[in-house]
């Protein structure tokens, strides 16, 4: 099992260029997430998806778009990259947690190894 | 809006010591509380998940507790080892998404 795979692992862009980060999971998870991690800011949620064909905004969605056309893939797009988008991006996946007492949110998240993006 | 705080930001202990990492959250209406470990340059690895109906979870030398009423969780590491050196993050889970603290960077000195 590969788990969660992110491509590319590294990328350097010039301001104004566009690119797409691909996240693929082979665990049949319903939920998928894109986070960015910056020094001193921690992990912040950009967008997430609770199923194929659905997406929702997280804490810091501006400047990003996402698509989930297939259950196993979650794409993060930057239409016009800015230096403020220099960061490490993490994709994660999960599924609903149910127990005898009901629903308990997203189950354990599985993270990808990260994609380091630099915008000059 | 959920806010998660972790104190201290960094901690250095000698090998063999028991230690506690703290996590507090502002919205007690969480579905679960998750603890993760992150090694430098790597992704996050899940350590423990505590459902909102539970008080604690244990895995090996790790024990995590949850007190929803006070908005606190602790991660207890027994008999620390140099291999435990990493950044530890906690997260409060809403219905779908997780909000993370900034982490505690732990260094275990041989």
């Amino acid at each position: 099992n590969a788990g969660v795979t992110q491509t590319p692992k590294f990328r350097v862009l010039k301001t104004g260029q566009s690119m797409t980060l691909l996240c693929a999971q082979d665990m049949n998870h319903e939920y998928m997430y894109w986070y960015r991690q910056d020094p001193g800011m921690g992990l912040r949620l950009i967008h997430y998806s609770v199923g194929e064909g659905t997406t929702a905004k997280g804490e810091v969605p501006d400047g990003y778009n996402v698509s989930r056309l297939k259950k196993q893939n979650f794409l993060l797009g930057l239409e016009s990259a800015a230096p403020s988008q220099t960061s490490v991006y993490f994709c994660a996946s999960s599924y609903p947690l149910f127990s005898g007492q009901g629903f308990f949110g997203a189950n354990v998240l599985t993270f990808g190894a990260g994609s380091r993006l630099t915008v000059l | 809006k959920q806010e998660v705080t972790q104190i201290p930001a960094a901690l250095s202990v000698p090998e063999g010591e028991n230690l506690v990492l703290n996590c507090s959250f502002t919205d007690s209406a969480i579905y679960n509380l998750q603890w993760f470990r992150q090694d430098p340059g790597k992704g996050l690895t899940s350590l423990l998940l505590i459902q909102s109906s539970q008080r604690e979870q244990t895995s090996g030398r790790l024990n995590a507790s949850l007190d929803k009423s006070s908005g606190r969780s602790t991660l207890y590491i027994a008999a620390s080892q140099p291999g435990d050196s990493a950044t530890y993050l906690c997260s409060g889970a809403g219905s779908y998404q997780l909000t993370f603290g900034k982490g505690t960077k732990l260094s275990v000195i041989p």
Side-chain angles (χ1 to χ4, degrees):
Chain A
N1 260 347
V4 177
T5 303
Q6 293 182 227
T7 54
K9 289 184 171 51
F10 302 93
R11 184 76 186 269
V12 179
L13 289 177
K14 294 181 179 179
T15 296
Q17 287 184 320
S18 64
M19 76 158 296
T20 300
L21 296 174
L22 170 63
C23 177
Q25 53 96 2
D26 61 3
M27 298 169 286
N28 202 34
H29 285 173
E30 286 91 345
Y31 303 164
M32 295 188 75
Y33 309 85
W34 277 108
Y35 285 90
R36 60 178 288 175
Q37 187 174 39
D38 303 289
M41 301 296 292
L43 273 164
R44 293 180 292 170
L45 182 64
I46 305 171
H47 286 280
Y48 65 100
S49 167
V50 298
E52 180 179 317
T54 72
T55 63
K57 294 180 180 179
E59 181 185 355
V60 288
D62 294 343
Y64 305 94
N65 57 74
V66 288
S67 65
R68 185 133 181 238
L69 299 179
K70 294 182 179 181
K71 186 177 185 179
Q72 63 267 33
N73 295 336
F74 195 29
L75 278 63
L76 178 70
L78 287 71
E79 289 189 348
S80 180
S84 62
Q85 294 178 304
T86 293
S87 187
V88 180
Y89 292 85
F90 287 101
C91 177
S93 71
S94 184
Y95 55 97
L97 173 59
F98 292 97
S99 74
Q101 295 166 305
F103 173 68
F104 288 96
N107 210 327
V108 171
L109 263 63
T110 300
F111 278 82
S115 297
R116 184 175 294 275
L117 175 65
T118 301
V119 183
L120 303 176
Chain B
K1 176 189 171 187
Q2 177 72 270
E3 294 183 4
V4 179
T5 304
Q6 292 187 246
I7 295 174
L11 180 64
S12 183
V13 300
E15 180 178 2
E17 191 163 296
N18 302 326
L19 60 102
V20 174
L21 305 180
N22 296 295
C23 172
S24 61
F25 46 94
T26 55
D27 184 357
S28 62
I30 58 171
Y31 283 79
N32 66 65
L33 192 293
Q34 299 189 30
W35 282 93
F36 294 84
R37 168 187 173 136
Q38 185 176 29
D39 294 289
K42 305 290 186 182
L44 281 70
T45 301
S46 176
L47 297 173
L48 290 165
L49 180 153
I50 312 174
Q51 295 176 16
S52 60
S53 60
Q54 299 173 330
R55 298 282 295 185
E56 64 178 354
Q57 281 288 337
T58 298
S59 176
R61 295 182 294 108
L62 305 180
N63 176 275
S65 67
L66 174 63
D67 184 344
K68 282 186 60 178
S69 62
S70 66
R72 295 178 186 273
S73 176
T74 61
L75 179 66
Y76 174 83
I77 302 177
S80 59
Q81 303 171 357
D84 295 331
S85 297
T87 297
Y88 291 80
L89 298 98
C90 70
S91 63
S95 52
Y96 302 116
Q97 70 270 40
L98 278 65
T99 300
F100 284 82
K102 295 180 181 180
T104 295
K105 185 175 182 179
L106 173 65
S107 299
V108 181
I109 312 301

